[in-house]
Amino acid sequence: MKKRVVSLILLAASALTVTLCAVLQAQSQRMADKIIRLHVVANSDTSADQTVKLAVRDAVLAYADVHCTAQDKPAALRWAAENLPALELTARAVLARRGIFSTVTVQLVEMYFDTTRYSTGILPAGRYLALRIDL
């Protein structure tokens, strides 16, 4: 009898886990269908390179805030695709002000992101379309 109760509890826990995973996967897909993520990749993990990465991120976001008037994902995607050269120049200008003259690659890619926590909320792990900037 005890074995049967334990088995039923484990079965219920397994079913709950599978259900939660399915719900989280659906939530991730809905989120991915609505946004384009920004991913800036630093040259290394040193604090200096990470500081440069954050400066590039801030400059690119500021540029987009001023120049992008898209109200939905398709319009934002069109804007980003048309403005890849300007976004690259924005990143290069940040680097140049710091005396760095290395290559910068800006592209739209689909890529996997781990769960990310921001002060305004959480983006679940999953595949997202991203504006990726490699420094």
Side-chain angles (χ1 to χ4, degrees), residues 50-88:
Q50 293 299 311
T51 299
V52 170
K53 173 183 89 169
L54 295 176
V56 168
R57 177 203 63 190
D58 292 346
V60 167
L61 289 174
Y63 181 89
D65 281 345
V66 170
H67 298 286
C68 181
T69 58
Q71 297 296 315
D72 59 18
K73 184 176 177 179
L77 182 56
R78 280 191 304 278
W79 180 88
E82 292 167 0
N83 285 276
L84 290 175
L87 295 166
E88 180 182 336

Side-chain angles (χ1 to χ4, degrees), residues 9-119:
I9 290 171
L10 290 175
L11 180 62
S14 296
L16 181 60
T17 301
V18 169
T19 301
L20 287 174
C21 287
V23 167
L24 289 174
Q25 181 64 30
Q27 177 188 10
S28 176
Q29 186 58 49
R30 283 191 304 274
M31 187 65 70
D33 290 343
K34 294 179 183 177
I35 66 170
I36 300 171
R37 299 206 41 185
L38 174 61
H39 186 58
V40 182
V41 181
N43 194 38
S44 75
D45 287 335
T46 66
S47 60
D49 282 345
Q50 293 299 311
T51 299
V52 170
K53 173 183 89 169
L54 295 176
V56 168
R57 177 203 63 190
D58 292 346
V60 167
L61 289 174
Y63 181 89
D65 281 345
V66 170
H67 298 286
C68 181
T69 58
Q71 297 296 315
D72 59 18
K73 184 176 177 179
L77 182 56
R78 280 191 304 278
W79 180 88
E82 292 167 0
N83 285 276
L84 290 175
L87 295 166
E88 180 182 336
L89 286 174
T90 300
R92 293 176 134 211
V94 171
L95 297 179
R97 284 193 299 273
R98 294 169 179 265
I100 303 168
F101 299 97
S102 60
T103 60
V104 174
T105 304
V106 179
Q107 57 190 334
L108 287 167
V109 297
E110 184 180 310
M111 58 185 289
Y112 178 82
F113 285 85
D114 289 328
T115 298
T116 307
R117 287 167 176 65
Y118 298 100
S119 60

